[in-house]
Amino acid sequence: GQNIDQPTEMTATEGAIVQINCTYQTSGFNGLFWYQQHAGEAPTFLSYNVLDGLEEKGRFSSFLSRSKGYSYLLLKELQMKDSASYLCAVTEYGNKLVFGAGTILRVKS
Amino acid sequence: DAGITQSPRHKVTETGTPVTLRCHQTENHRYMYWYRQDPGHGLRLIHYSYGVKDTDKGEVSDGYSVSRSKTEDFLLTLESATSSQTSVYFCATSGYRLAGEVVTGDEQYFGPGTRLTVT
């Protein structure tokens, strides 16, 4: 079977750092994606990890441990515009993605 | 961003009627996907295509069919719409690339979505 778990909601303060965790159990693994989705809009690509370690892209970083089935998305210097849903997705095989239910992040001033 | 459009953007239809949603891309991407998004479930794959006339089922394919007669268009048909198919439908596309020594898929680009209400 396939199972991807993320916290349902998180709240953080503007300017702070927040870490959104994702654990997965899938029958295959070809990489892990993070997407951002603002309310009423389409998901947009944030990051991709296929090997263990940290990938940094500006204020956003993503970490992967394949042996633990674990990833996190780290957002630094939070801004109000970062309020959105963050979706973790795993490529089992080929190009098929399996998505978690998403984490709603609320940034407060 | 990939040039992906969906039509219609909003539709209200009655139970039992057929509905077709269209996805059009201008990026010449090989892969195309249809997802539905519902509260508490995230994005779930309905059908996908890995080339012209090559399609396969996803996680929630019952009650849906697809067709891809050319690279740029991917159609999703609800054969007889039911209230349980009320949802937001997203189309996505992707290419294919090498990442180091690992052959893997590229990121998926999403269309703007279609909000479908079945009454």
Side-chain angles (χ1 to χ4, degrees):
Chain A
Q2 49 191 236
N3 192 35
I4 299 178
D5 286 321
Q6 310 176 229
T8 303
E9 296 183 15
M10 300 181 70
T11 301
T13 304
E14 194 175 16
I17 299 172
V18 70
Q19 178 174 311
I20 302 174
N21 296 325
C22 172
T23 58
Y24 63 89
Q25 291 178 309
T26 53
S27 55
F29 183 83
N30 262 351
L32 186 143
F33 292 85
W34 284 95
Y35 283 83
Q36 181 190 59
Q37 186 178 24
H38 286 101
E41 298 183 7
T44 55
F45 169 74
L46 285 179
S47 69
Y48 171 69
N49 295 72
V50 65
L51 300 175
D52 290 351
L54 189 68
E55 294 282 342
E56 297 187 78
K57 191 184 292 186
R59 294 189 300 115
F60 293 6
S61 303
S62 57
F63 171 83
L64 175 66
S65 169
R66 289 174 296 173
S67 62
K68 295 182 179 179
Y70 168 70
S71 174
Y72 67 73
L73 180 69
L74 194 70
L75 292 75
K76 303 175 187 175
E77 302 170 11
L78 277 176
Q79 303 175 8
M80 298 300 291
K81 67 178 182 179
D82 296 330
S83 292
S85 287
Y86 291 86
L87 313 178
C88 173
V90 172
T91 305
E92 284 193 305
Y93 54 88
N95 270 33
K96 291 172 62 174
L97 282 181
V98 178
F99 282 85
T103 299
I104 297 172
L105 175 65
R106 295 188 175 87
V107 180
K108 60 182 182 179
S109 57
Chain B
D1 288 333
I4 306 171
T5 56
Q6 293 185 230
S7 59
R9 294 292 313 281
H10 301 272
K11 186 169 183 68
V12 179
T13 192
E14 294 184 350
T15 298
T17 59
V19 176
T20 295
L21 308 183
R22 180 178 182 246
C23 178
H24 180 77
Q25 58 127 339
T26 59
E27 296 297 311
N28 201 34
H29 278 166
R30 175 182 176 185
Y31 297 89
M32 297 186 76
Y33 314 81
W34 277 107
Y35 293 92
R36 60 178 291 173
Q37 188 172 37
D38 306 287
H41 289 280
L43 284 158
R44 291 181 291 175
L45 183 65
I46 304 171
H47 282 280
Y48 68 102
S49 169
Y50 43 95
V52 174
K53 297 185 179 179
D54 290 325
T55 66
D56 205 350
K57 296 179 180 180
E59 178 187 357
V60 289
S61 60
D62 287 348
Y64 302 95
S65 62
V66 290
S67 65
R68 190 170 180 198
S69 58
K70 45 187 179 178
T71 299
E72 55 266 35
D73 290 326
F74 194 32
L75 304 180
L76 177 71
T77 297
L78 288 65
E79 293 137 10
S80 177
T82 67
S83 58
S84 64
Q85 293 176 311
T86 292
S87 186
V88 179
Y89 291 86
F90 286 101
C91 171
T93 73
S94 70
Y96 202 74
R97 64 183 167 91
L98 294 175
E101 296 181 347
V102 178
V103 177
T104 184
D106 206 341
E107 59 265 24
Q108 293 184 16
Y109 298 93
F110 285 81
T114 294
R115 184 171 295 275
L116 176 68
T117 302
V118 183
T119 61

